[in-house]
Amino acid sequence: DVVGNDINRAVVFRLGPQWHRCYGRIHHIAIDGYGAGQLLARGAQLYSAATQGYSPPPCRAMSLEDVVASDRDYRRSPRFLADRDYWRDNLAGLDRVTRLTDRHAPPSAHPHVSRVRLDSTTMSQLGDVGGRTDARITEVIVAAVVVYLAQMTGDPDVTLSLPVAARTTAALRRSAGMVSNVVPLRVKGVPAHTVDDLVRQVRVGIIGALRHQLYRHEDLLRDLGAGVAGRSGYGPMI
C-alpha cells in the first residue's frame, strides 16, 4: 500500500499474514526532526486506537498552513525586529567562525562516531562547577567544548552552532512542520576567563540564544554577509 507524493510518501510492506513494515519519507522542506517525532507519536496513537478498538484522542497539532502563518506573523512583529537587533549586536565585528579544518570531508554513509563514558569522579567535578555557577550540566559541557576549541585553534574567540527547536508556544510544540533553527553561540576572550566565569558566559549566551531563537538561520547568514559563515554555519555544531 502506497500513499503520498514527491514531498511525502508512506508505504506499508506486507511481509506475511501477520507481519508488516511501515516506511515513511518526508522532504526536509516540510518537516524537521522534532516534527518527525511528533508525527511518529501521533501515528502510534492512531495505530493503538485502531488495533485496540477505541477512539483516538483528538489531534491538537497545528496545520502546515497555520505553522506558516505563525512564522509570517512573527516576521511582521516587533519581536522580529528585537531579535534582529540582538543578533546584530551579538555578532558585531565577527569576521570569521571557528573551524578545526579548512577542508570538508566528502559525504559518507558511515560517518565516524566516537563515544566516551565519563567516570564518576569527572561527573562529580562537572557537577561541582555547575553548582558554583548555577549552570546545568549541558552548559558546563558546552563550556568545556569552547575551551577545547580555543586551545586547538589558538583563537580566543569561539563560535558554535546551536540547534534549537524554535517552538516557543505550546501549539508549535505539538506540531510538525519545518520550524527548527540553528543559531550561533559566541564566546569572547576564552583564555582570559576563569572556569567559573567562562561557564557563566556560556550560560548567559545560551539563554540569550534561546530567547531569540526564532530569528532564522538564513536571515542571520544574510546579515553576516557571504564568506563569514558559509558552508560551516557558525562553527562546530553542539
Side-chain angles (χ1 to χ4, degrees):
D1 294 343
V2 182
V3 178
N5 50 43
D6 290 341
I7 301 296
N8 176 22
R9 182 172 296 271
V11 182
V12 175
F13 294 97
R14 301 170 188 255
L15 306 182
Q18 300 296 326
W19 293 96
H20 300 77
R21 289 292 182 269
C22 180
Y23 164 82
R25 184 194 72 211
I26 305 179
H27 196 289
H28 210 341
I29 198 173
I31 199 168
D32 54 28
Y34 183 100
Q38 296 296 98
L39 187 64
L40 287 171
R42 179 59 179 170
Q45 283 183 337
L46 296 175
Y47 179 84
S48 296
T51 56
Q52 297 177 29
Y54 62 84
S55 297
C59 179
R60 301 170 63 201
M62 298 168 65
S63 67
L64 288 181
E65 290 83 0
D66 288 341
V67 171
V68 172
S70 175
D71 180 68
R72 187 180 298 119
D73 290 343
Y74 161 70
R75 300 181 73 84
R76 294 170 178 168
S77 71
R79 182 173 183 177
F80 175 81
L81 300 178
D83 289 348
R84 183 185 64 188
D85 291 343
Y86 170 84
W87 287 115
R88 284 182 175 177
D89 291 342
N90 183 274
L91 302 177
L94 182 67
D95 57 2
R96 67 189 185 283
V97 297
T98 302
R99 295 185 177 95
L100 288 170
T101 176
D102 291 328
R103 297 184 298 114
H104 295 276
S108 171
H110 305 285
H112 176 73
V113 178
S114 180
R115 295 184 176 91
V116 62
R117 182 181 295 275
L118 300 183
D119 57 47
S120 58
T121 300
T122 301
M123 288 301 300
S124 178
Q125 292 171 335
L126 293 173
D128 290 342
V129 175
R132 294 196 307 267
T133 58
D134 196 29
R136 297 176 301 171
I137 188 67
T138 304
E139 295 158 344
V140 176
I141 292 175
V142 171
V145 174
V146 167
V147 173
Y148 170 80
L149 291 172
Q151 291 181 337
M152 290 295 292
T153 62
D155 193 342
D157 299 339
V158 171
T159 55
L160 296 172
S161 298
L162 185 69
V164 291
R167 286 167 164 83
T168 56
T169 66
L172 278 173
R173 286 191 288 272
R174 294 193 296 265
S175 306
M178 182 54 225
V179 181
S180 64
N181 197 15
V182 178
V183 294
L185 176 65
R186 187 182 187 187
V187 184
K188 300 179 183 179
V190 176
H193 291 289
T194 66
V195 170
D196 289 4
D197 286 344
L198 183 66
V199 170
R200 292 188 184 100
Q201 185 182 163
V202 167
R203 182 172 185 270
V204 169
I206 291 176
I207 291 173
L210 293 177
R211 286 177 176 170
H212 301 278
Q213 64 180 296
L214 294 182
Y215 196 74
R216 294 299 308 170
H217 167 75
E218 300 82 3
D219 293 316
L220 274 166
L221 292 183
R222 188 161 44 247
D223 293 344
L224 280 172
V228 176
R231 273 186 66 186
S232 299
Y234 313 109
M237 182 172 288
I238 294 292

